[in-house]
Amino acid sequence: MKTSNPLTDRYRPLQSNLTDSPPLIIDTAANPQDILEGALQRIRASSDLLKTLHCICFKNGDVEDIPHITHALFLLTQDGCDLLQVAQQQMLNWKAPA
């Protein structure tokens, strides 16, 4: 039987962390509005970057820029998805007032 640990249950590491002791975490007890805002901010930034890439010409671009851009897109999108997952879990656990 799995026992509940309030510290590890409350603070969820971002999947984009690459270290054994993750420095970036989500406080699952934070205001749901703040969690959603954080998710929207990251997904919107990712979407804006993709829109910019769609509109520019790569003729004069440097091939070394591609991994930098894709890495930024990955971080923004993954962190946004992690935040959305926490917000979704909060909604599933939310009890409507009787």
Side-chain angles (χ1 to χ4, degrees):
M1 179 170 90
K2 183 183 178 208
T3 58
S4 180
N5 181 342
L7 274 178
T8 57
D9 291 343
R10 179 171 177 179
Y11 299 106
R12 182 177 298 174
L14 293 170
Q15 291 184 45
S16 59
N17 285 315
L18 298 176
T19 60
D20 291 334
S21 59
L24 300 175
I25 56 171
I26 301 169
D27 181 356
T28 62
N31 182 323
Q33 184 75 29
D34 294 340
I35 292 172
L36 279 174
E37 191 59 41
L40 283 171
Q41 181 184 37
R42 282 154 181 78
I43 292 170
R44 193 174 296 118
S46 179
S47 177
D48 290 347
L49 181 54
L50 282 170
K51 185 176 181 181
T52 299
L53 291 174
H54 176 73
C55 295
I56 64 173
C57 176
F58 283 102
K59 283 183 187 176
N60 299 325
D62 190 339
V63 94
E64 290 181 14
D65 290 336
I66 294 171
H68 299 158
I69 293 166
T70 57
H71 183 71
L73 285 168
F74 166 74
L75 288 175
L76 289 167
T77 306
Q78 184 61 59
D79 291 357
C81 287
D82 288 348
L83 287 158
L84 282 176
Q85 189 176 38
V86 169
Q88 181 184 37
Q89 191 63 46
Q90 285 182 333
M91 290 179 66
L92 292 172
N93 293 335
W94 182 70
K95 306 274 191 240

